[in-house]
């Protein structure tokens, strides 16, 4: 009953957050979180640097994904030190990859791609398992449960991370007016209308104020539902099923969703991200066939995994990840600010 109660409470929390985000974040108010004065200008004002809600929601998504990754592997009996080591290796590679992959595909220096980073993470995951077992002893980490936990954590991370895209106005869908009539009918009442000239949808394509397909919302809902289903399968001990479900659904949708997006994804008709999706699915199927699962899988204990969240090392890692991700993705490179300060005389 503990497993089901956790799933229900977690579903309620995720649903509330997504519903709020879908309603509020397309608005202009929800792009810039804060502006910091940096240098004084000749007119007595200040040139400022913007901190974005994009960074805030990205930090939330990365931290949530890592927390769930720790809970799942902790529930499966993997030692805390081994999990933290593996997680640190993945983060060291994948966070920089989110920018480097976008730079190669989209030819832009200041763009991020969580999907590209996830593709890199899936590719290196077997090597991370091998290294962790080399350090802590053979059998410390079993590959399929590790891959399942990683794929499920990714589904939640990218699902929640779509709120960052909505707030910044990136990864946007095609205008409804250019979609098939059936698509228009489905999304007419729940389309997104972005406002604000500093949102990417405005300065890149001039689509602010126009109803567009809410592709970020569809992705967020699908990925979070997939994550919940995968998490439940994992806790019940169905590791291979959880791995294949989480990875194949997210990557197949990545292939399909590209056809509904209007933002620049590289110069090819069939994008590099779609090729990554196909490659990830084939890679997952190959791993599921080639990597043996223990004859008697350990039935995960959710409460044991949740206790890992109270470990001082876990708390420090999650805090450090949140701060690092926010500073890395939340400092806007494509907007700036002009600030001025004054005294309110009647309050002096």
């Amino acid at each position: 009953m503990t497993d089901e109660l956790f799933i229900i409470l977690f579903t309620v929390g995720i649903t509330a957050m997504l519903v709020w985000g879908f309603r509020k974040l397309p608005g202009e108010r929800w792009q810039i979180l804060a502006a910091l004065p940096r240098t004084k200008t000749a007119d007595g004002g200040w040139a400022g640097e913007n901190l974005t809600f994009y960074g805030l929601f990205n930090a939330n998504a990365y931290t949530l994904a890592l927390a769930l990754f720790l809970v799942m592997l902790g529930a499966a009996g993997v030692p805390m030190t081994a999990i933290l080591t593996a997680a640190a290796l993945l983060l060291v590679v994948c966070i920089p990859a989110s920018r480097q992959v976008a730079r190669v595909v989209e030819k832009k220096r200041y763009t991020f791609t969580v999907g590209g980073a996830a593709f890199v993470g899936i590719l290196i995951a077997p090597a991370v398992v091998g290294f962790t077992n080399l350090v802590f002893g053979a059998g410390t980490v079993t590959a399929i449960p590790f891959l399942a936990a990683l794929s499920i954590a990714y589904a939640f991370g990218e699902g929640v991370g779509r709120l960052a895209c909505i707030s910044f106005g990136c990864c946007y869908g095609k205008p409804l007016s250019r979609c098939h009539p059936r698509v228009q009918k489905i999304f007419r009442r729940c389309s997104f209308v972005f406002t604000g000239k500093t949102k990417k949808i405005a300065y890149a394509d001039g689509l602010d104020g126009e109803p567009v397909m809410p592709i970020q919302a569809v992705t967020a809902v699908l990925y979070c539902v997939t994550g919940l289903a995968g998490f439940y399968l994992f806790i019940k001990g169905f590791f291979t099923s959880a791995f294949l479900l989480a990875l194949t659904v997210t990557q197949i949708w990545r292939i399909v969703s590209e056809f509904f997006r209007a933002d620049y994804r590289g110069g090819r008709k069939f994008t590099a991200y779609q090729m990554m999706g196909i490659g990830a699915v084939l890679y997952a199927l190959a791993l599921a066939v080639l990597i043996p699962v223990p004859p008697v899988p350990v039935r995960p204990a959710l409460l044991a995994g949740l206790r890992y969240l109270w470990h001082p090392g876990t708390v420090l890692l999650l805090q450090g990840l949140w701060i690092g991700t926010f500073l890395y993705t939340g400092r806007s490179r494509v907007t700036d600010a002009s600030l001025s300060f004054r005294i309110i005389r009647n309050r002096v």
Side-chain angles (χ1 to χ4, degrees):
M1 187 61 187
T2 301
D3 300 343
E4 288 74 16
L5 180 61
F6 179 86
I7 292 291
I8 291 171
L9 293 176
F10 195 67
T11 300
V12 171
I14 287 285
T15 301
M17 179 172 55
L18 293 181
V19 169
W20 174 87
F22 298 161
R23 290 178 176 176
K24 298 290 186 180
L25 296 180
E28 185 174 8
R29 161 70 179 82
W30 297 98
Q31 181 179 0
I32 305 301
L33 172 65
L36 303 178
R38 299 301 298 266
T39 56
K40 199 162 187 178
T41 58
D43 61 1
W46 292 82
E49 179 179 39
N50 292 325
L51 302 179
T52 63
F53 281 102
Y54 179 89
L56 173 70
F57 289 115
N58 259 328
N60 291 346
Y62 272 97
T63 305
L64 174 65
L66 178 57
L68 291 173
F69 180 72
L70 292 167
V71 168
M72 285 183 282
L73 289 184
V78 180
M80 170 67 72
T81 50
I83 300 175
L84 295 180
T85 299
L89 289 171
L90 286 168
L91 292 170
V92 165
V93 175
C94 292
I95 291 180
S98 66
R99 174 174 287 178
Q100 297 304 321
V101 172
R103 180 179 295 185
V104 171
V105 174
E106 302 177 42
K107 304 297 188 287
K108 295 180 180 179
R109 292 184 60 190
Y110 304 116
T111 299
F112 298 92
T113 169
V114 176
F119 178 71
V120 173
I122 292 295
L123 287 181
I124 68 170
V128 171
V129 171
F131 178 81
T132 305
N133 285 332
L134 184 64
V135 173
F136 295 97
T140 302
V141 180
T142 307
I144 291 297
F146 181 91
L147 289 166
L150 180 62
S151 301
I152 295 163
Y154 160 70
F156 278 117
E158 177 129 8
V160 173
R162 289 294 120 180
L163 295 179
C165 301
I166 299 172
S167 72
F168 191 66
C170 61
C171 307
Y172 43 90
K174 293 181 178 179
L176 280 186
S177 60
R178 303 180 199 169
C179 294
H180 190 278
R182 289 183 182 176
V183 175
Q184 294 183 33
K185 185 176 181 180
I186 294 172
F187 294 105
R188 183 176 293 115
R189 294 186 178 181
C190 56
S191 61
F192 280 161
V193 178
F194 291 89
T195 57
K197 294 300 181 183
T198 56
K199 287 188 182 283
K200 185 176 181 180
I201 191 172
Y203 65 75
D205 280 309
L207 295 176
D208 53 314
E210 183 172 348
V212 297
M213 184 176 176
I215 193 67
Q216 305 101 319
V218 177
T219 300
V221 171
L222 177 62
Y223 279 32
C224 287
V225 169
T226 300
L228 287 166
F231 188 93
Y232 189 72
L233 287 172
F234 186 98
I235 291 300
K236 295 303 181 183
F238 300 105
F239 301 124
T240 302
S241 298
F243 168 50
L244 291 177
L245 173 71
L247 197 136
T248 55
V249 170
T250 56
Q251 297 310 304
I252 289 174
W253 176 245
R254 171 161 292 280
I255 298 166
V256 174
S257 65
E258 293 283 310
F259 294 115
F260 296 98
R261 290 177 60 166
D263 57 320
Y264 179 74
R265 312 293 290 158
R268 299 178 180 179
K269 199 167 186 179
F270 197 81
T271 70
Y273 296 112
Q274 289 172 306
M275 295 298 295
M276 291 180 197
I278 293 173
V281 170
L282 296 176
Y283 188 58
L285 294 173
L287 291 177
V289 171
L290 296 175
I291 298 178
V293 180
V296 184
V298 176
R299 175 70 179 271
L302 179 58
L303 290 178
L306 290 173
R307 292 190 191 101
Y308 274 28
L309 294 180
W310 300 110
H311 188 280
T314 301
V315 174
L316 291 174
L317 178 63
L318 293 175
Q319 290 177 338
L321 175 64
W322 193 96
I323 294 170
T325 304
F326 177 73
L327 293 177
Y328 188 66
T329 65
R331 297 168 58 194
S332 180
R333 273 81 170 179
V334 297
T335 66
D336 61 10
S338 298
L339 308 174
S340 62
F341 304 95
R342 60 183 179 277
I343 299 296
I344 303 176
R345 291 294 179 185
N346 61 1
R347 297 183 183 178
V348 176

